[in-house]
Amino acid sequence: MRILMIAPPGAGKGTQGALIAAHFNIPHIATGELLRDHVARQTALGQAVQAYLDRGELVPDQIVLDMTREAIIAAKAAGGGYVLDGIPRNMEQARAAYEIGSELGMTADVALHLQADDAELTRRLLARAALEHRSDDTAEVIAQRLALYHEVTAPIIAWYRDRGILVSVDAMRSAPEVGREILADLEAMRPSLDHPPAQERLPLDMISLGEAFGATGSSR
Ligand code: ADP
């Protein structure tokens, strides 16, 4: 099972990603966690990305794409499944993730979208701020992360719907309830993933992806 998750901050990507990974026994690749780990260890990469994380901005695409490629290569060696949490976050990353997946024979079977409204997400993130001490869980930075999600991340959902791999789940409920629905939905898809084979799915239309974002027609 190969899953990518698209969800606003606070929707429960991390929690549900871990649940999915444990249930299907597949690696959980969380870009935010990987980046925060670099910051905590003060690696060169961590020093380069810290300011982006603190401001709630996206780190440069190439950094997360390199991390993702490496993690997908490891996932392939580990059995072929994965749950990607935190990427793609914009059109360029969606294209690149697909290209990396195609090249490695590891494209996603499911795009899992968790839905929740901004008021609820803000409430959850502020509650989390009191417990954990993430530098980006302040009212101002939360607002920035939500705005960025609506502007550059949410528009890629339609692309996965067109490809026929989108699963949308209402994430306004408790974590266990959301988790049960996700696992039921994914379990229901499992037979159809084995057959028909992935190659019979609709090919991705790179041109329409670009048009959807008003791109200028470059094919990168
Ligand atoms: P959240 O979804 O709550 O913002 P994450 O842990 O997924 O939490 O991401 C935290 C931060 O890590 C983001 O605000 C961003 O700065 C950085 N980040 C994570 N994934 C990506 C990505 N795919 N592209 C660019 N930046 C990323």
Side-chain angles (χ1 to χ4, degrees), residues 9 13 31-32 35-36 57-59 64 86 89 93 134 145:
K13 268 190 296 98
T31 52
L35 292 167
R36 278 190 293 279
E57 289 167 9
L58 297 185
V59 312
V64 280
R89 268 178 142 97
Q93 293 183 10
R134 261 177 66 164
R145 285 153 65 205

Side-chain angles (χ1 to χ4, degrees), residues 110-122:
V110 178
L112 178 64
H113 169 216
L114 306 183
Q115 265 180 302
D117 67 39
D118 284 10
E120 170 68 9
L121 296 168
T122 304

Side-chain angles (χ1 to χ4, degrees), residues 75-130:
K76 183 168 188 175
Y82 60 72
V83 53
L84 266 189
D85 158 356
I87 187 169
R89 268 178 142 97
N90 60 26
M91 177 195 66
E92 278 305 316
Q93 293 183 10
R95 285 178 192 243
Y98 180 71
E99 280 167 4
I100 293 169
S102 301
E103 191 187 310
L104 298 170
M106 290 280 283
T107 54
D109 307 306
V110 178
L112 178 64
H113 169 216
L114 306 183
Q115 265 180 302
D117 67 39
D118 284 10
E120 170 68 9
L121 296 168
T122 304
R123 196 189 58 72
R124 288 184 191 176
L125 291 167
L126 289 174
R128 179 171 80 185

Side-chain angles (χ1 to χ4, degrees), residues 105-160:
M106 290 280 283
T107 54
D109 307 306
V110 178
L112 178 64
H113 169 216
L114 306 183
Q115 265 180 302
D117 67 39
D118 284 10
E120 170 68 9
L121 296 168
T122 304
R123 196 189 58 72
R124 288 184 191 176
L125 291 167
L126 289 174
R128 179 171 80 185
L131 302 171
E132 296 171 24
H133 295 284
R134 261 177 66 164
S135 61
D136 57 353
D137 282 346
T138 62
E140 192 188 336
V141 178
I142 289 168
Q144 157 67 21
R145 285 153 65 205
L146 286 171
L148 200 57
Y149 174 79
H150 291 298
E151 188 187 332
V152 305
T153 308
I156 63 183
I157 293 166
W159 187 49
Y160 293 106

Side-chain angles (χ1 to χ4, degrees), residues 19-60:
L19 176 77
I20 295 166
H23 182 84
F24 292 103
N25 192 24
I26 52 179
H28 179 198
I29 304 166
T31 52
E33 288 290 328
L34 293 171
L35 292 167
R36 278 190 293 279
D37 181 58
H38 275 279
V39 172
R41 290 187 287 122
Q42 284 291 298
T43 64
L45 193 147
Q47 290 175 7
V49 301
Q50 180 158 19
Y52 294 95
L53 270 79
D54 289 348
R55 290 194 299 259
E57 289 167 9
L58 297 185
V59 312

